[in-house]
Amino acid sequence: MPTPSFMDGYELANDTIRRFWIEFPMGRLATEIVQEKSDLEKGYDTLKAEIYRDFDDAKPSATGHAFGNVATYQPTMKRFYVEDTETSSLARAIKTLSPSSQRPSHEDMVKVEGLTLVPDMPTASFDIQVSESRDPWSFGSVLESTAAQIPAPNAPASCRHGSMGWKEGTSEKTGKPFQGWVCQEKNRDQQCKAIWL
């Protein structure tokens, strides 16, 4: 499906970060979770990014903040909302230092556009409890505890038509395996979007 024309002026966050490294090859990027504005157990976070033109700069040249709410993400992206929020904060900070034609990123605008679709989209519930790690360089225990809480494939998903059906197999065209939840509506034109894993 081609990207709508109103999205043409928005730079992808990854492209913004690549542009930063081209413009400031000796620069530095730093991010942190703003603890007083975040509650990972409730599913929201605020990240702050600091952008330095030179690695040895004492103060950042620009900062940016981004807010993430797990409830606004599609089911397959819910487990990555913290990483997505971090990327958004970096892109916003970089665009403060080195502006592009639009301040929001392409991904931010897709989320805004997608918000109007949420009631019609399939939903899945993720009740993720994140245990705090005292070692800032180790994500192992956090990732393991989070992965253990993501529903197994046999945990039923639902859409506006009711319970979704589990479908798995191997594609005849590509030979690749697939699995996910599909809408059970008989009329294909009315079916909700599948949740592929």
Side-chain angles (χ1 to χ4, degrees):
M1 175 186 240
T3 304
S5 61
F6 68 88
M7 299 294 278
D8 289 347
Y10 295 98
E11 184 176 43
L12 292 169
N14 191 46
D15 292 342
T16 303
I17 294 169
R18 286 175 189 241
R19 185 167 52 83
F20 170 80
W21 290 118
I22 291 169
E23 292 179 32
F24 304 100
M26 301 303 292
R28 176 167 49 116
L29 306 175
T31 60
E32 66 179 284
I33 293 177
V34 181
Q35 296 295 333
E36 61 274 8
K37 296 187 181 271
S38 301
D39 190 333
L40 298 179
E41 290 182 12
K42 291 183 180 175
Y44 64 90
D45 64 350
T46 300
L47 270 91
K48 176 183 179 182
E50 296 179 335
I51 307 302
Y52 300 81
R53 288 184 178 126
D54 187 84
F55 188 85
D56 294 326
D57 288 349
K59 292 184 179 180
S61 301
T63 60
H65 291 80
F67 176 77
N69 184 336
V70 73
T72 64
Y73 285 81
Q74 293 185 14
T76 55
M77 284 298 295
K78 286 185 184 289
R79 66 180 116 176
F80 304 111
Y81 86 97
V82 175
E83 293 91 333
D84 186 66
T85 307
E86 180 181 42
T87 302
S88 293
S89 69
L90 285 167
R92 292 187 69 76
I94 292 167
K95 288 181 179 188
T96 301
L97 177 63
S98 176
S100 64
S101 63
Q102 298 288 337
R103 173 96 194 250
S105 70
H106 183 272
E107 293 87 347
D108 290 337
M109 294 309 296
V110 167
K111 279 189 262 181
V112 169
E113 182 65 19
L115 290 178
T116 60
L117 302 176
V118 170
D120 293 336
M121 293 177 70
T123 59
S125 174
F126 293 92
D127 184 19
I128 297 174
Q129 304 293 320
V130 178
S131 60
E132 186 176 332
S133 172
R134 294 292 174 200
D135 179 1
W137 302 105
S138 170
F139 292 104
S141 62
V142 173
L143 292 176
E144 289 168 11
S145 68
T146 302
Q149 296 173 55
I150 296 183
N154 59 358
S158 62
C159 65
R160 62 186 167 128
H161 297 107
S163 293
M164 298 179 86
W166 178 253
K167 187 173 185 177
E168 63 182 290
T170 303
S171 170
E172 292 178 15
K173 292 181 182 178
T174 65
K176 294 181 180 179
F178 63 86
Q179 61 181 3
W181 296 98
V182 295
C183 179
Q184 298 298 303
E185 170 63 36
K186 302 269 188 247
N187 182 343
R188 291 182 65 111
D189 294 333
Q190 299 295 318
Q191 286 182 349
C192 299
K193 187 175 179 180
I195 304 172
W196 298 111
L197 307 176

mmCIF file of all heavy atoms in Angstrom, residues 7 9-10 26 29 32 41 46 60 74 93 99 108 110 117 119 140 145-146 161 172 178:
data_model
loop_
_atom_site.group_PDB
_atom_site.id
_atom_site.type_symbol
_atom_site.label_atom_id
_atom_site.label_comp_id
_atom_site.label_asym_id
_atom_site.label_seq_id
_atom_site.Cartn_x
_atom_site.Cartn_y
_atom_site.Cartn_z
ATOM 1 N N MET A 7 2.137 12.380 3.855
ATOM 2 C CA MET A 7 3.259 11.905 4.660
ATOM 3 C C MET A 7 4.606 12.185 3.984
ATOM 4 O O MET A 7 5.652 11.954 4.588
ATOM 5 C CB MET A 7 3.124 10.394 4.907
ATOM 6 C CG MET A 7 1.877 10.002 5.646
ATOM 7 S SD MET A 7 1.869 10.621 7.320
ATOM 8 C CE MET A 7 2.865 9.377 8.073
ATOM 9 N N GLY A 9 6.475 14.747 3.378
ATOM 10 C CA GLY A 9 7.431 15.682 3.965
ATOM 11 C C GLY A 9 8.023 15.229 5.280
ATOM 12 O O GLY A 9 8.867 15.919 5.840
ATOM 13 N N TYR A 10 7.599 14.074 5.779
ATOM 14 C CA TYR A 10 8.063 13.631 7.085
ATOM 15 C C TYR A 10 9.222 12.651 6.941
ATOM 16 O O TYR A 10 9.134 11.661 6.244
ATOM 17 C CB TYR A 10 6.922 12.988 7.874
ATOM 18 C CG TYR A 10 5.836 13.973 8.201
ATOM 19 C CD1 TYR A 10 4.694 14.050 7.428
ATOM 20 C CD2 TYR A 10 5.973 14.839 9.280
ATOM 21 C CE1 TYR A 10 3.700 14.973 7.720
ATOM 22 C CE2 TYR A 10 4.986 15.756 9.580
ATOM 23 C CZ TYR A 10 3.856 15.823 8.798
ATOM 24 O OH TYR A 10 2.879 16.732 9.090
ATOM 25 N N MET A 26 31.621 13.077 15.036
ATOM 26 C CA MET A 26 32.264 12.992 16.349
ATOM 27 C C MET A 26 31.256 13.274 17.467
ATOM 28 O O MET A 26 31.629 13.477 18.614
ATOM 29 C CB MET A 26 33.435 13.982 16.437
ATOM 30 C CG MET A 26 34.509 13.743 15.386
ATOM 31 S SD MET A 26 35.214 12.074 15.430
ATOM 32 C CE MET A 26 36.066 12.114 16.969
ATOM 33 N N LEU A 29 25.084 10.725 21.316
ATOM 34 C CA LEU A 29 23.657 10.660 21.617
ATOM 35 C C LEU A 29 23.493 10.014 22.984
ATOM 36 O O LEU A 29 24.145 9.007 23.273
ATOM 37 C CB LEU A 29 22.910 9.813 20.578
ATOM 38 C CG LEU A 29 23.081 10.189 19.110
ATOM 39 C CD1 LEU A 29 22.364 9.171 18.222
ATOM 40 C CD2 LEU A 29 22.536 11.579 18.849
ATOM 41 N N GLU A 32 17.644 8.897 28.378
ATOM 42 C CA GLU A 32 17.298 8.404 29.709
ATOM 43 C C GLU A 32 15.794 8.442 29.882
ATOM 44 O O GLU A 32 15.104 9.276 29.294
ATOM 45 C CB GLU A 32 17.979 9.224 30.805
ATOM 46 C CG GLU A 32 17.502 10.668 30.884
ATOM 47 C CD GLU A 32 18.172 11.452 31.999
ATOM 48 O OE1 GLU A 32 17.800 11.246 33.172
ATOM 49 O OE2 GLU A 32 19.046 12.267 31.688
ATOM 50 N N GLU A 41 5.024 -0.125 34.493
ATOM 51 C CA GLU A 41 4.005 -1.107 34.884
ATOM 52 C C GLU A 41 2.621 -0.704 34.391
ATOM 53 O O GLU A 41 1.802 -1.552 34.068
ATOM 54 C CB GLU A 41 4.003 -1.297 36.402
ATOM 55 C CG GLU A 41 5.246 -2.022 36.896
ATOM 56 C CD GLU A 41 5.230 -2.256 38.393
ATOM 57 O OE1 GLU A 41 4.175 -2.068 39.025
ATOM 58 O OE2 GLU A 41 6.280 -2.653 38.916
ATOM 59 N N THR A 46 8.268 8.386 29.410
ATOM 60 C CA THR A 46 8.765 9.616 28.813
ATOM 61 C C THR A 46 10.272 9.481 28.746
ATOM 62 O O THR A 46 10.910 9.161 29.754
ATOM 63 C CB THR A 46 8.373 10.852 29.647
ATOM 64 O OG1 THR A 46 6.950 10.920 29.732
ATOM 65 C CG2 THR A 46 8.902 12.133 29.018
ATOM 66 N N PRO A 60 24.713 19.399 26.355
ATOM 67 C CA PRO A 60 24.114 19.012 25.066
ATOM 68 C C PRO A 60 23.829 20.225 24.186
ATOM 69 O O PRO A 60 23.530 21.313 24.682
ATOM 70 C CB PRO A 60 22.821 18.304 25.475
ATOM 71 C CG PRO A 60 22.498 18.831 26.833
ATOM 72 C CD PRO A 60 23.803 19.154 27.485
ATOM 73 N N GLN A 74 -0.039 -0.974 17.990
ATOM 74 C CA GLN A 74 -0.643 -2.193 17.475
ATOM 75 C C GLN A 74 -0.111 -3.364 18.298
ATOM 76 O O GLN A 74 1.004 -3.310 18.818
ATOM 77 C CB GLN A 74 -0.299 -2.376 16.001
ATOM 78 C CG GLN A 74 -0.929 -1.338 15.114
ATOM 79 C CD GLN A 74 -0.665 -1.615 13.650
ATOM 80 O OE1 GLN A 74 -0.232 -2.688 13.268
ATOM 81 N NE2 GLN A 74 -0.939 -0.632 12.816
ATOM 82 N N ALA A 93 15.157 15.524 19.197
ATOM 83 C CA ALA A 93 16.313 16.316 19.623
ATOM 84 C C ALA A 93 17.193 16.683 18.429
ATOM 85 O O ALA A 93 17.647 17.827 18.314
ATOM 86 C CB ALA A 93 17.112 15.547 20.665
ATOM 87 N N PRO A 99 17.266 21.036 11.819
ATOM 88 C CA PRO A 99 15.874 20.845 11.382
ATOM 89 C C PRO A 99 15.726 20.231 9.993
ATOM 90 O O PRO A 99 16.555 20.418 9.119
ATOM 91 C CB PRO A 99 15.300 22.272 11.378
ATOM 92 C CG PRO A 99 16.237 23.081 12.195
ATOM 93 C CD PRO A 99 17.581 22.430 12.062
ATOM 94 N N ASP A 108 5.931 9.202 13.954
ATOM 95 C CA ASP A 108 5.006 9.919 14.833
ATOM 96 C C ASP A 108 3.693 10.198 14.114
ATOM 97 O O ASP A 108 2.614 10.049 14.678
ATOM 98 C CB ASP A 108 5.609 11.252 15.293
ATOM 99 C CG ASP A 108 6.760 11.078 16.265
ATOM 100 O OD1 ASP A 108 6.835 10.019 16.919
ATOM 101 O OD2 ASP A 108 7.588 12.012 16.367
ATOM 102 N N VAL A 110 2.429 8.557 11.540
ATOM 103 C CA VAL A 110 1.718 7.299 11.316
ATOM 104 C C VAL A 110 0.925 6.942 12.566
ATOM 105 O O VAL A 110 -0.228 6.520 12.492
ATOM 106 C CB VAL A 110 2.693 6.164 10.924
ATOM 107 C CG1 VAL A 110 2.022 4.804 10.995
ATOM 108 C CG2 VAL A 110 3.245 6.407 9.527
ATOM 109 N N LEU A 117 -7.894 4.772 13.837
ATOM 110 C CA LEU A 117 -8.246 3.416 13.446
ATOM 111 C C LEU A 117 -8.336 2.450 14.621
ATOM 112 O O LEU A 117 -8.831 1.353 14.474
ATOM 113 C CB LEU A 117 -7.196 2.881 12.462
ATOM 114 C CG LEU A 117 -6.997 3.690 11.194
ATOM 115 C CD1 LEU A 117 -5.857 3.098 10.376
ATOM 116 C CD2 LEU A 117 -8.267 3.737 10.380
ATOM 117 N N PRO A 119 -10.249 1.881 17.284
ATOM 118 C CA PRO A 119 -11.460 1.142 17.639
ATOM 119 C C PRO A 119 -11.778 -0.005 16.685
ATOM 120 O O PRO A 119 -12.376 -0.992 17.084
ATOM 121 C CB PRO A 119 -12.553 2.202 17.584
ATOM 122 C CG PRO A 119 -11.848 3.492 17.773
ATOM 123 C CD PRO A 119 -10.499 3.299 17.137
ATOM 124 N N GLY A 140 19.210 -8.210 30.519
ATOM 125 C CA GLY A 140 18.845 -9.621 30.520
ATOM 126 C C GLY A 140 17.650 -9.953 31.374
ATOM 127 O O GLY A 140 16.666 -10.514 30.899
ATOM 128 N N SER A 145 11.961 -11.363 31.947
ATOM 129 C CA SER A 145 10.690 -11.261 32.662
ATOM 130 C C SER A 145 9.590 -10.718 31.754
ATOM 131 O O SER A 145 8.437 -11.115 31.859
ATOM 132 C CB SER A 145 10.834 -10.382 33.906
ATOM 133 O OG SER A 145 11.078 -9.036 33.542
ATOM 134 N N THR A 146 9.950 -9.814 30.832
ATOM 135 C CA THR A 146 8.964 -9.271 29.895
ATOM 136 C C THR A 146 8.539 -10.337 28.899
ATOM 137 O O THR A 146 7.349 -10.527 28.657
ATOM 138 C CB THR A 146 9.543 -8.061 29.142
ATOM 139 O OG1 THR A 146 9.925 -7.083 30.106
ATOM 140 C CG2 THR A 146 8.534 -7.468 28.188
ATOM 141 N N HIS A 161 -15.299 -8.307 15.461
ATOM 142 C CA HIS A 161 -16.210 -9.384 15.073
ATOM 143 C C HIS A 161 -16.227 -10.529 16.076
ATOM 144 O O HIS A 161 -16.887 -11.532 15.865
ATOM 145 C CB HIS A 161 -15.835 -9.924 13.678
ATOM 146 C CG HIS A 161 -15.967 -8.889 12.610
ATOM 147 N ND1 HIS A 161 -14.868 -8.303 12.008
ATOM 148 C CD2 HIS A 161 -17.054 -8.314 12.065
ATOM 149 C CE1 HIS A 161 -15.282 -7.417 11.122
ATOM 150 N NE2 HIS A 161 -16.601 -7.400 11.128
ATOM 151 N N GLU A 172 2.775 -21.018 0.205
ATOM 152 C CA GLU A 172 3.049 -21.731 -1.043
ATOM 153 C C GLU A 172 3.920 -20.886 -1.974
ATOM 154 O O GLU A 172 4.721 -21.416 -2.730
ATOM 155 C CB GLU A 172 1.739 -22.102 -1.729
ATOM 156 C CG GLU A 172 0.950 -23.148 -0.975
ATOM 157 C CD GLU A 172 -0.376 -23.470 -1.651
ATOM 158 O OE1 GLU A 172 -0.572 -23.103 -2.830
ATOM 159 O OE2 GLU A 172 -1.216 -24.088 -0.982
ATOM 160 N N PHE A 178 4.416 -19.015 8.491
ATOM 161 C CA PHE A 178 3.646 -17.885 9.006
ATOM 162 C C PHE A 178 2.783 -18.381 10.150
ATOM 163 O O PHE A 178 2.471 -19.562 10.260
ATOM 164 C CB PHE A 178 2.778 -17.254 7.907
ATOM 165 C CG PHE A 178 1.725 -18.176 7.341
ATOM 166 C CD1 PHE A 178 0.472 -18.296 7.949
ATOM 167 C CD2 PHE A 178 1.975 -18.933 6.205
ATOM 168 C CE1 PHE A 178 -0.490 -19.151 7.430
ATOM 169 C CE2 PHE A 178 1.016 -19.782 5.682
ATOM 170 C CZ PHE A 178 -0.225 -19.892 6.297
#
